Amino acid sequence: MADIEHIQYVRKPVDAVYAALSTQEGLGAVWTEKLVVKPEVGFINEFDFSDNYDTKFRNVELTPPTRILWECVQSDPEWIGTSVSFDLETRNDMTAVTLRHMGWREVTEFYRFCNYNWGQFLYSLKLYLETGKGQPYQQRQF
């Protein structure tokens, strides 16, 4: 199995970062403008990337303000059964965000593409929190 792992440093308090990663408003500004998200354990968040809300993650763990864990229940076949976690830690005047996409069955072209795009996700998160404007899917150029 393979995992993707990235870290980003954001000049905002950990509570603000947690809110951006667990709410419809935050994820809408960072990842995709079309989504249905509730910060409730067991809720299945739905994300639309021009695929009719085909990407769905169950909230497995929500531990404010330090950890979020999702399990993919619907998406590209390579994502189904994988997990995405966000671990947040205060470091001086910043929040360290460690993103892990765990449980890939193998390293494929899609894995490599997603690895790059998770890095872009964290950059969008940083932009959103530090400048007020992220780069969700609908505003990116691929």
Side-chain angles (χ1 to χ4, degrees), residues 18-30:
Y18 184 89
L21 291 169
S22 62
T23 64
Q24 182 142 338
E25 178 184 346
L27 289 167
V30 171

PDB file of all heavy atoms in Angstrom, residues 18-30:
ATOM      1  N   TYR A  18      -8.984  24.501  11.457  1.00  0.00           N
ATOM      2  CA  TYR A  18      -9.939  23.398  11.643  1.00  0.00           C
ATOM      3  C   TYR A  18     -11.290  23.749  11.018  1.00  0.00           C
ATOM      4  O   TYR A  18     -11.884  22.925  10.317  1.00  0.00           O
ATOM      5  CB  TYR A  18     -10.103  23.078  13.132  1.00  0.00           C
ATOM      6  CG  TYR A  18     -11.007  21.894  13.374  1.00  0.00           C
ATOM      7  CD1 TYR A  18     -10.496  20.604  13.410  1.00  0.00           C
ATOM      8  CD2 TYR A  18     -12.382  22.061  13.526  1.00  0.00           C
ATOM      9  CE1 TYR A  18     -11.333  19.510  13.603  1.00  0.00           C
ATOM     10  CE2 TYR A  18     -13.218  20.988  13.715  1.00  0.00           C
ATOM     11  CZ  TYR A  18     -12.688  19.711  13.755  1.00  0.00           C
ATOM     12  OH  TYR A  18     -13.521  18.636  13.926  1.00  0.00           O
ATOM     13  N   ALA A  19     -11.766  24.956  11.237  1.00  0.00           N
ATOM     14  CA  ALA A  19     -13.053  25.375  10.674  1.00  0.00           C
ATOM     15  C   ALA A  19     -13.020  25.359   9.152  1.00  0.00           C
ATOM     16  O   ALA A  19     -13.993  24.928   8.507  1.00  0.00           O
ATOM     17  CB  ALA A  19     -13.436  26.769  11.178  1.00  0.00           C
ATOM     18  N   ALA A  20     -11.924  25.785   8.569  1.00  0.00           N
ATOM     19  CA  ALA A  20     -11.818  25.784   7.101  1.00  0.00           C
ATOM     20  C   ALA A  20     -11.857  24.370   6.539  1.00  0.00           C
ATOM     21  O   ALA A  20     -12.355  24.153   5.437  1.00  0.00           O
ATOM     22  CB  ALA A  20     -10.537  26.490   6.664  1.00  0.00           C
ATOM     23  N   LEU A  21     -11.369  23.401   7.290  1.00  0.00           N
ATOM     24  CA  LEU A  21     -11.302  22.019   6.811  1.00  0.00           C
ATOM     25  C   LEU A  21     -12.521  21.179   7.175  1.00  0.00           C
ATOM     26  O   LEU A  21     -12.640  20.043   6.717  1.00  0.00           O
ATOM     27  CB  LEU A  21     -10.042  21.337   7.364  1.00  0.00           C
ATOM     28  CG  LEU A  21      -8.725  21.853   6.812  1.00  0.00           C
ATOM     29  CD1 LEU A  21      -7.563  21.292   7.628  1.00  0.00           C
ATOM     30  CD2 LEU A  21      -8.585  21.487   5.336  1.00  0.00           C
ATOM     31  N   SER A  22     -13.425  21.736   7.959  1.00  0.00           N
ATOM     32  CA  SER A  22     -14.549  20.913   8.415  1.00  0.00           C
ATOM     33  C   SER A  22     -15.918  21.500   8.093  1.00  0.00           C
ATOM     34  O   SER A  22     -16.937  20.884   8.428  1.00  0.00           O
ATOM     35  CB  SER A  22     -14.439  20.688   9.929  1.00  0.00           C
ATOM     36  OG  SER A  22     -14.501  21.917  10.626  1.00  0.00           O
ATOM     37  N   THR A  23     -15.957  22.658   7.435  1.00  0.00           N
ATOM     38  CA  THR A  23     -17.248  23.297   7.160  1.00  0.00           C
ATOM     39  C   THR A  23     -17.480  23.482   5.666  1.00  0.00           C
ATOM     40  O   THR A  23     -16.543  23.499   4.866  1.00  0.00           O
ATOM     41  CB  THR A  23     -17.323  24.679   7.836  1.00  0.00           C
ATOM     42  OG1 THR A  23     -16.325  25.534   7.267  1.00  0.00           O
ATOM     43  CG2 THR A  23     -17.152  24.584   9.342  1.00  0.00           C
ATOM     44  N   GLN A  24     -18.732  23.638   5.316  1.00  0.00           N
ATOM     45  CA  GLN A  24     -19.106  23.881   3.930  1.00  0.00           C
ATOM     46  C   GLN A  24     -18.480  25.170   3.416  1.00  0.00           C
ATOM     47  O   GLN A  24     -17.969  25.216   2.296  1.00  0.00           O
ATOM     48  CB  GLN A  24     -20.632  23.927   3.804  1.00  0.00           C
ATOM     49  CG  GLN A  24     -21.085  24.139   2.377  1.00  0.00           C
ATOM     50  CD  GLN A  24     -22.318  23.351   2.022  1.00  0.00           C
ATOM     51  OE1 GLN A  24     -22.638  22.351   2.646  1.00  0.00           O
ATOM     52  NE2 GLN A  24     -22.989  23.778   0.997  1.00  0.00           N
ATOM     53  N   GLU A  25     -18.500  26.219   4.234  1.00  0.00           N
ATOM     54  CA  GLU A  25     -17.925  27.492   3.810  1.00  0.00           C
ATOM     55  C   GLU A  25     -16.427  27.360   3.524  1.00  0.00           C
ATOM     56  O   GLU A  25     -15.938  27.806   2.490  1.00  0.00           O
ATOM     57  CB  GLU A  25     -18.143  28.556   4.883  1.00  0.00           C
ATOM     58  CG  GLU A  25     -17.517  29.889   4.527  1.00  0.00           C
ATOM     59  CD  GLU A  25     -17.648  30.921   5.640  1.00  0.00           C
ATOM     60  OE1 GLU A  25     -18.431  30.713   6.586  1.00  0.00           O
ATOM     61  OE2 GLU A  25     -16.949  31.940   5.553  1.00  0.00           O
ATOM     62  N   GLY A  26     -15.707  26.756   4.440  1.00  0.00           N
ATOM     63  CA  GLY A  26     -14.261  26.628   4.278  1.00  0.00           C
ATOM     64  C   GLY A  26     -13.876  25.734   3.113  1.00  0.00           C
ATOM     65  O   GLY A  26     -13.077  26.126   2.249  1.00  0.00           O
ATOM     66  N   LEU A  27     -14.426  24.533   3.061  1.00  0.00           N
ATOM     67  CA  LEU A  27     -14.078  23.610   1.977  1.00  0.00           C
ATOM     68  C   LEU A  27     -14.573  24.121   0.623  1.00  0.00           C
ATOM     69  O   LEU A  27     -13.970  23.844  -0.404  1.00  0.00           O
ATOM     70  CB  LEU A  27     -14.610  22.207   2.273  1.00  0.00           C
ATOM     71  CG  LEU A  27     -13.858  21.484   3.399  1.00  0.00           C
ATOM     72  CD1 LEU A  27     -14.626  20.249   3.851  1.00  0.00           C
ATOM     73  CD2 LEU A  27     -12.445  21.118   2.955  1.00  0.00           C
ATOM     74  N   GLY A  28     -15.650  24.917   0.637  1.00  0.00           N
ATOM     75  CA  GLY A  28     -16.134  25.524  -0.602  1.00  0.00           C
ATOM     76  C   GLY A  28     -15.182  26.570  -1.144  1.00  0.00           C
ATOM     77  O   GLY A  28     -15.076  26.757  -2.355  1.00  0.00           O
ATOM     78  N   ALA A  29     -14.480  27.243  -0.271  1.00  0.00           N
ATOM     79  CA  ALA A  29     -13.509  28.250  -0.688  1.00  0.00           C
ATOM     80  C   ALA A  29     -12.162  27.629  -1.055  1.00  0.00           C
ATOM     81  O   ALA A  29     -11.385  28.213  -1.795  1.00  0.00           O
ATOM     82  CB  ALA A  29     -13.314  29.272   0.420  1.00  0.00           C
ATOM     83  N   VAL A  30     -11.909  26.415  -0.554  1.00  0.00           N
ATOM     84  CA  VAL A  30     -10.597  25.785  -0.727  1.00  0.00           C
ATOM     85  C   VAL A  30     -10.602  24.687  -1.791  1.00  0.00           C
ATOM     86  O   VAL A  30      -9.689  24.615  -2.617  1.00  0.00           O
ATOM     87  CB  VAL A  30     -10.121  25.190   0.623  1.00  0.00           C
ATOM     88  CG1 VAL A  30      -8.872  24.346   0.452  1.00  0.00           C
ATOM     89  CG2 VAL A  30      -9.887  26.303   1.635  1.00  0.00           C
TER      90      VAL A  30
END
